[in-house]
Amino acid sequence: MTKLEQLKEKLEISKKFEHAANVLYFDYETLCPTDAREDEGEVLGFLSNEVFKILTSDEVKQLIIDLHNDIDSIEDPLDKVLINRSYEAYEKTKNMTPEFQMEMTVTHNKAYMKWLEAKEKSDFSIYKDALADNLKIDKKAIELRDKILPNFYDNYLNDTEKGVLTADLDPFFDELKVGLLELIQKIKNSKHVIRRDFLSRNVPIHKQEEFSRYLLELNGYDFKRGALTTTEHPFTMPVAQNDARVTTHYYEDMFLSNIFSIIHEGGHAIFMQNERKEDFEHYINDEVTNGMHESVSRFYENVIGRSKEYIHLIYPKFKEIFAEEFPDVSEQELYEGVNIVEPSLIRTEADEVTYGLHVLIRYEMEKLICNGLIAMEDVPAKWNALYKEYLGIDVPSDKEGVLQDVHWAHNFGYFPSYQIGNCYNAMYVLRMRKEFDLDKAIETGDFATINNWMRENVFKKANELMPKEWIKDITGEALTPKPFLDYLNKKYSKIYQF
Amino acid sequence: MTKLEQLKEKLEISKKFEHAANVLYFDYETLCPTDAREDEGEVLGFLSNEVFKILTSDEVKQLIIDLHNDIDSIEDPLDKVLINRSYEAYEKTKNMTPEFQMEMTVTHNKAYMKWLEAKEKSDFSIYKDALADNLKIDKKAIELRDKILPNFYDNYLNDTEKGVLTADLDPFFDELKVGLLELIQKIKNSKHVIRRDFLSRNVPIHKQEEFSRYLLELNGYDFKRGALTTTEHPFTMPVAQNDARVTTHYYEDMFLSNIFSIIHEGGHAIFMQNERKEDFEHYINDEVTNGMHESVSRFYENVIGRSKEYIHLIYPKFKEIFAEEFPDVSEQELYEGVNIVEPSLIRTEADEVTYGLHVLIRYEMEKLICNGLIAMEDVPAKWNALYKEYLGIDVPSDKEGVLQDVHWAHNFGYFPSYQIGNCYNAMYVLRMRKEFDLDKAIETGDFATINNWMRENVFKKANELMPKEWIKDITGEALTPKPFLDYLNKKYSKIYQF
């Protein structure tokens, strides 16, 4: 066996453990009974540890080093990607002792538990020290690396959206901010009133479920390679190559919540279902950065899901399934109802215009926190001040403010990807529109054309290329918020009639 | 570490793999998408193989032999049970090569696939040779043991209901047969007509689901330590100590099917939820024989679920949830409707009177097949002749006849346990009735009293004792069909008014 074959043999075993762990994780989040969670969590940890043991064994480490030293002799480009990624992962952890690894896990778990408690009690001070501990141990982990980026926050960014750093994001967010604030002001000045009385009507869950399945299938989600179930917080889980599962949450008095969760998570899953077989065979299928992934899910959710054409397409089924609930809601009213723009407290419930400001606030907060420019006790006040400044709203509690997101309990640098994603898709949609009539495809339910284009242009090299190369590969341009702002302005000037 | 501690350390690791495999198995049967099943099945095999490797390693084998040689020095009685069970398992497989084990697995899998095809095409001849191969390899496996019982079928029985052999079951089934045939004749002669028009009414699935959750909770099933979902064939899965899951199948035009599945599977699960903590700690929690387990599930399904008192208890909720579907069905009509006695083709759909004859037919068939007293091609004709003789009905197809059950694709000797279970519970219910008013407890929904009694008398030593000791421990008597026949006669003479 060659060294590459030896490495792949090990990865194949670790893939089996990972597949099992994925099923357990999904089960843990969905069906696992309350009192069984502790034991199932332990088994999950046990399986993850088996993976860790394989990947960090001396044998595997040596294989990675040898293969990387001799990478020029490797012919298959995807094998090269595999070796480079493996080497990067090795470099990140090579100076860590197992004890340090364990300490990191324990510290993060503690922060997560403290976050839960703090959110429950709406009191940031409960979370403060654990968050500081997270920051400290993450910093230590970064400092153990051979290569450290001088702007400390860049190390975080680089871990979640490789190669996209503060120098890229500062001008990006500056331009975005100006554009969004202008647009929001115009919408605020608009006299147009959108009907919203029907948005909180009671809708039986089994009807919502029926509609969800319709939407997923319509959009091209393959139920033979996926499943739909419910959780507190919706997510998508790549269990295995032929198994991309989606969850949602049904609220009886907030039917739109499920609809756009479904379209969003369905978008993630359609991406997963269209990843190249070769990527799985080269064990590089889960290297996608978040920005690429969010660009797809938010493309389905917003560009498609909140478009006039899509509402036109789904309106007959909507009227059929919800005949009793919405006999009096016109197509136009539904379209406007899913596109209300209004500054609000919670990021995950924000409309597509104000959403970018929620992300911007988190980006600014993370720069301050990760670069040690703010004392931990001042974090909530700064958060609230930014919400007042950008969105014009008062934050009444930590729960609805700085404690609303779980992310910092796990890591920093994650939030920008959401907005990068929005801007990526606005960029490639421009090219898509040159190649076929997107509006018509949506209106006629021709998702095969859309998904084929996405597969050939967006999904294809998502695991192979770094984000900056990838968006250039599709559009010929570097990341810019301009097409996204143009898209918003065009759409909302019509809705709000200015 | 003592040898016992060493063994337990290994069992603890294998328990983690088993827990993971249980979650995967449950997932495989419930949520796993069609096209992901092959991969997930492979991972399941991988995990089972890890368990197999641990339990059959030279190290573990030697520990078991040493501990068994020195069993008199072990003080804890449950440790003794563990060592004895481990030694029995070791004895069964010690002369098998890994190649032979693999051949067995492949042979059984092939038989299962052939059964599926044969059932689909309703043609036993497709299954015949694979079934003969099963028989051949099972026989070989038994012949590899040091101890072989002279009546060959007894080896199968002994594997599923330890110590209960043909010498016990021949007189048992003879007595049962006479009693059942007499009772069925009386019912046939009865002029009483039971209303059945409402049994096939359309009932929305979400209402059936709501009713199922009500029934499970009512009966004492703990949702914090379990879950309910759907499958093609209902089953109960002991995933872990705090995780006994139940599945059901909702038919829109056959609402009773789900109701009694739920009560039956819920019974299995209540048993599991009440197993002693010590049994799990001694790794003997899954040694229960089928007859004990079926005695419990069929106690809940029939003795409780089909009783006048239980119907009285659930009738108000039934009327509330199914107000639209059954406005015209009285409590008495519902009670009679769930107790219609009528010879039929399919065991799993049989009423509690004719059920015993379905089992008897299988018992007679298995004796012939396992003792080599019938040619494989004559099996369907013999099956059909027995259905004609005992139940008076013609079997129109293999699908509804000899191919209806999957069991023989996996093993022989399993069927008698169902009827043994019915008779066990009739025996211990006699004692229960001496200690408290069972009818009143059911009618008032006092399942705490029922389940406490079951825990202290029925569940408690189920993992520790052999079936014959166990039923004697509870009732002071050996297995007999008399209390069961008395119970049926008393109940059905009232319903059918003779």
Side-chain angles (χ1 to χ4, degrees), chain B residues 245-277:
Chain B
R245 303 185 187 183
V246 169
T247 78
T248 189
H249 189 122
Y250 300 109
Y251 297 93
E252 286 203 316
D253 61 350
M254 214 164 44
F255 76 101
L256 283 187
S257 170
N258 163 63
I259 289 181
F260 288 96
S261 274
I262 276 292
I263 306 177
H264 179 95
E265 301 303 335
H268 280 304
I270 290 167
F271 183 147
M272 292 164 185
Q273 291 188 332
N274 283 282
E275 284 184 83
R276 291 182 301 196
K277 201 164 161 278

Side-chain angles (χ1 to χ4, degrees), chain B residues 230-244:
Chain B
T230 58
T231 46
E232 182 61 29
H233 303 285
F235 70 100
T236 315
M237 179 76 201
V239 173
Q241 185 177 353
N242 292 313
D243 196 351

Side-chain angles (χ1 to χ4, degrees), chain B residues 55-275:
Chain B
L55 298 184
T56 59
S57 67
D58 288 342
E59 190 188 346
V60 168
K61 272 188 194 164
Q62 197 55 52
L63 285 169
I64 291 171
I65 294 168
D66 293 350
L67 283 163
H68 189 253
N69 280 338
D70 202 24
I71 196 159
D72 294 337
S73 71
I74 302 291
E75 281 175 21
D76 181 337
L78 295 187
D79 281 336
K80 274 195 208 284
V81 174
L82 168 64
I83 294 167
N84 280 325
R85 298 267 162 97
S86 302
Y87 191 74
E88 275 166 25
Y90 155 74
E91 274 201 313
K92 268 189 199 164
T93 54
K94 67 172 184 173
N95 298 327
M96 291 183 191
T97 60
E99 292 72 31
F100 182 80
Q101 295 263 12
M102 183 55 80
E103 200 191 329
M104 272 188 85
T105 308
V106 171
T107 306
H108 283 119
N109 284 348
K110 201 182 143 200
Y112 176 66
M113 300 311 289
K114 283 285 172 191
W115 172 74
L116 284 175
E117 190 194 337
K119 194 180 174 192
E120 168 87 24
K121 297 182 181 157
S122 194
D123 180 358
F124 181 79
S125 72
I126 293 170
Y127 185 36
K128 186 172 62 85
D129 293 343
L131 190 57
D133 289 345
N134 256 9
L135 201 67
K136 216 181 289 169
I137 198 146
D138 288 352
K139 210 163 177 174
K140 254 195 211 165
I142 291 169
E143 282 166 353
L144 280 172
R145 296 179 190 171
D146 293 343
K147 295 174 204 153
I148 308 170
L149 298 169
N151 179 326
F152 211 77
Y153 181 49
D154 279 347
N155 294 288
Y156 293 95
L157 287 177
N158 198 40
D159 281 354
T160 58
E161 193 73 10
K162 203 154 183 59
V164 179
L165 308 178
T166 324
D168 307 291
L169 292 184
D170 279 348
F172 168 83
F173 274 113
D174 278 348
E175 190 180 342
L176 184 78
K177 182 171 74 174
V178 173
L180 291 180
L181 289 175
E182 268 178 28
L183 174 57
I184 291 165
Q185 195 51 49
K186 283 181 193 163
I187 291 171
K188 225 174 155 185
N189 295 341
S190 160
K191 295 278 179 290
H192 182 65
V193 178
I194 292 181
R195 182 180 166 193
R196 58 172 79 199
D197 65 290
F198 64 93
L199 298 176
S200 53
R201 278 191 198 158
N202 217 63
V203 181
I205 284 168
H206 67 276
K207 289 193 183 183
Q208 295 196 43
E209 194 180 331
E210 192 187 342
F211 197 60
S212 301
R213 294 194 160 260
Y214 159 75
L215 292 175
L216 282 174
E217 271 173 357
L218 177 72
N219 292 5
Y221 178 76
D222 180 358
F223 271 99
K224 289 199 305 301
R225 300 178 61 216
L228 168 64
T229 182
T230 58
T231 46
E232 182 61 29
H233 303 285
F235 70 100
T236 315
M237 179 76 201
V239 173
Q241 185 177 353
N242 292 313
D243 196 351
R245 303 185 187 183
V246 169
T247 78
T248 189
H249 189 122
Y250 300 109
Y251 297 93
E252 286 203 316
D253 61 350
M254 214 164 44
F255 76 101
L256 283 187
S257 170
N258 163 63
I259 289 181
F260 288 96
S261 274
I262 276 292
I263 306 177
H264 179 95
E265 301 303 335
H268 280 304
I270 290 167
F271 183 147
M272 292 164 185
Q273 291 188 332
N274 283 282
E275 284 184 83

Side-chain angles (χ1 to χ4, degrees), chain A residues 49-293:
Chain A
N49 192 46
E50 293 294 309
V51 175
F52 184 79
K53 271 165 34 188
I54 294 170
L55 298 185
T56 60
S57 67
D58 289 341
E59 189 187 349
V60 168
K61 274 187 193 165
Q62 197 54 54
L63 285 169
I64 292 170
I65 294 168
D66 293 349
L67 284 163
H68 189 254
N69 280 339
D70 202 24
I71 196 159
D72 294 337
S73 71
I74 301 292
E75 281 174 21
D76 181 336
L78 296 187
D79 281 337
K80 273 195 209 286
V81 174
L82 168 64
I83 293 167
N84 279 324
R85 299 268 161 98
S86 301
Y87 191 74
E88 275 165 25
Y90 156 74
E91 273 201 313
K92 268 189 201 165
T93 55
K94 68 173 183 172
N95 297 328
M96 291 183 191
T97 59
E99 292 72 29
F100 182 81
Q101 295 264 12
M102 182 53 81
E103 200 190 331
M104 273 188 85
T105 307
V106 171
T107 307
H108 284 118
N109 282 348
K110 200 183 144 199
Y112 175 67
M113 299 311 289
K114 283 284 172 190
W115 172 76
L116 284 175
E117 189 194 338
K119 193 177 175 193
E120 168 88 24
K121 296 180 180 156
S122 194
D123 181 357
F124 181 78
S125 72
I126 293 168
Y127 185 36
K128 186 170 61 82
D129 293 343
L131 190 56
D133 289 344
N134 256 10
L135 202 64
K136 216 180 293 170
I137 199 145
D138 287 352
K139 213 165 175 172
K140 255 195 210 166
I142 291 169
E143 283 166 352
L144 281 172
R145 298 180 189 169
D146 293 342
K147 297 175 204 154
I148 308 171
L149 298 169
N151 179 328
F152 211 79
Y153 181 48
D154 279 347
N155 294 290
Y156 292 95
L157 287 176
N158 198 40
D159 281 355
T160 57
E161 193 70 10
K162 202 151 185 62
V164 179
L165 308 178
T166 324
D168 307 290
L169 292 184
D170 278 348
F172 167 83
F173 273 113
D174 278 347
E175 189 180 344
L176 184 77
K177 181 170 75 176
V178 173
L180 290 181
L181 289 175
E182 269 179 28
L183 175 56
I184 291 167
Q185 195 52 50
K186 284 181 193 160
I187 290 171
K188 227 175 153 183
N189 295 340
S190 159
K191 295 277 181 291
H192 182 65
V193 179
I194 292 182
R195 181 179 168 194
R196 57 171 81 199
D197 64 289
F198 64 92
L199 298 176
S200 52
R201 278 191 197 158
N202 219 62
V203 181
I205 284 168
H206 68 275
K207 290 192 181 182
Q208 296 197 43
E209 194 180 330
E210 192 187 342
F211 197 59
S212 301
R213 293 193 161 260
Y214 159 74
L215 292 175
L216 281 174
E217 272 174 357
L218 177 71
N219 292 5
Y221 178 77
D222 181 359
F223 272 99
K224 289 199 304 300
R225 299 177 61 215
L228 168 64
T229 180
T230 58
T231 46
E232 182 60 30
H233 304 284
F235 69 100
T236 316
M237 179 78 202
V239 172
Q241 185 176 353
N242 292 312
D243 195 350
R245 303 185 188 184
V246 169
T247 77
T248 190
H249 189 123
Y250 301 109
Y251 297 94
E252 286 203 317
D253 59 351
M254 213 163 43
F255 75 100
L256 283 187
S257 170
N258 162 62
I259 289 181
F260 288 95
S261 275
I262 275 294
I263 305 177
H264 179 96
E265 302 304 335
H268 280 303
I270 288 167
F271 185 145
M272 292 163 185
Q273 290 187 333
N274 282 284
E275 284 183 84
R276 291 183 299 197
K277 203 167 160 275
E278 305 91 276
D279 292 6
F280 287 92
E281 286 161 2
H282 289 81
Y283 309 95
I284 60 166
N285 54 291
D286 52 1
E287 304 295 336
V288 188
T289 61
N290 209 47
M292 294 176 184
H293 232 300

